[in-house]
Amino acid sequence: GAVVSQHPSRVICKSGTSVKIECRSLDFQATTMFWYRQFPKKSLMLMATSNEGSKATYEQGVEKDKFLINHASLTLSTLTVTSAHPEDSSFYICSAARAGEGNTQYFGPGTRLTVL
Amino acid sequence: GDSVTQMEGPVTLSEEAFLTINCTYTATGYPSLFWYVQYPGEGLQLLLKATKADDKGSNKGFEATYRKETTSFHLEKGSVQVSDSAVYFCALSDRGQFYFGTGTSLTVIP
């Protein structure tokens, strides 16, 4: 158990458009979901933490109006990159914490975003 | 504040060699410790974890022991395989916050 999926796995978009990435916990309810960004050959940078039904908590330096996070249910969180620019190109990874196992995060397979 | 320090890579080993990837941590609370593995182009997979001092996490031949006295959680495997080639991340969870090391790239050559 503890499978997390992301969709799409890859997306290429034009500069100025918005892109939505979905993160789903397939076989458990996630009390908290996390969004990370990973640059090539680098570690993960936490962007925001979201709890179902409440506003996301963004890390310092992350623009909340640019990276919109919605956590509509205990199994789904979405990240929307608004007005994307080439510098937003990156690997975005979500993770989910299972209820009763709060200190373990289960990661999705990641989404490769390329903005032209 | 809390932090994780892991040995810099890249690490290159021959098949069947012994692997150690060092990880030390700093924490103000009582953290849980994790090793995650990332294969090329994929997300992170939980490899093993330990939630309290002296616990040993193990999975797929990998082991790590939570050593509070040395604040360490070194990853070991007795005999690596080509399929173990990946990036390994040490991480800790403390009071709801997650902290990652910078990752260590491992390449195993036949």
Side-chain angles (χ1 to χ4, degrees):
Chain A
V3 179
V4 177
S5 70
Q6 276 183 247
H7 178 79
S9 57
R10 293 180 179 273
V11 57
I12 300 173
C13 69
K14 292 183 179 179
S15 188
T17 61
S18 294
V19 174
K20 181 187 282 189
I21 302 170
E22 291 187 350
C23 176
R24 293 182 186 270
S25 55
L26 298 185
D27 53 359
F28 66 100
Q29 292 186 328
T31 50
T32 307
M33 287 185 166
F34 306 83
W35 287 96
Y36 294 85
R37 185 171 176 177
Q38 186 179 32
F39 294 97
K41 301 188 187 300
K42 298 291 185 184
S43 189
L44 282 72
M45 181 192 81
L46 179 65
M47 299 174 67
T49 302
S50 74
N51 293 290
E52 184 262 340
S54 62
K55 289 184 178 179
T57 302
Y58 289 81
E59 295 299 301
Q60 194 169 11
V62 178
E63 298 176 58
K64 61 180 67 176
D65 294 330
K66 179 163 187 63
F67 298 100
L68 300 178
I69 291 171
N70 183 281
H71 194 158
S73 74
L74 285 172
T75 59
L76 173 65
S77 176
T78 60
L79 168 68
T80 301
V81 183
T82 62
S83 187
H85 290 285
E87 57 266 29
D88 299 324
S89 298
S90 194
F91 194 53
Y92 292 88
I93 307 177
C94 74
S95 70
R98 184 159 55 181
E101 201 178 335
N103 64 359
T104 300
Q105 291 188 25
Y106 297 94
F107 286 81
T111 296
R112 171 72 58 194
L113 169 64
T114 303
V115 184
L116 302 177
Chain B
D2 292 17
S3 66
V4 175
T5 302
Q6 58 181 108
M7 65 184 282
E8 291 192 19
V11 174
T12 302
L13 296 174
S14 297
E15 208 166 18
E16 299 183 4
F18 185 86
L19 168 71
T20 300
I21 300 177
N22 289 339
C23 172
T24 57
Y25 68 90
T26 303
T28 51
Y30 299 92
S32 295
L33 302 173
F34 306 83
W35 277 101
Y36 286 88
V37 57
Q38 184 177 33
Y39 298 100
E42 299 183 12
L44 275 66
Q45 297 177 25
L46 178 63
L47 181 59
L48 53 85
K49 69 177 184 179
T51 58
K52 61 184 188 298
D54 299 326
D55 270 1
K56 177 187 282 188
S58 61
N59 186 26
K60 300 180 181 179
F62 291 90
E63 292 183 340
T65 302
Y66 189 143
R67 302 278 188 207
K68 191 174 180 186
E69 63 276 14
T70 53
T71 61
S72 65
F73 193 56
H74 305 323
L75 182 68
E76 296 182 336
K77 186 174 186 181
S79 176
V80 293
Q81 305 300 312
V82 172
S83 56
D84 294 326
S85 298
V87 179
Y88 292 82
F89 291 92
C90 185
L92 74 82
S93 175
D94 185 18
R95 294 170 296 167
Q97 295 289 318
F98 231 74
Y99 302 86
F100 284 93
T102 52
T104 302
S105 174
L106 169 66
T107 301
V108 180
I109 54 178

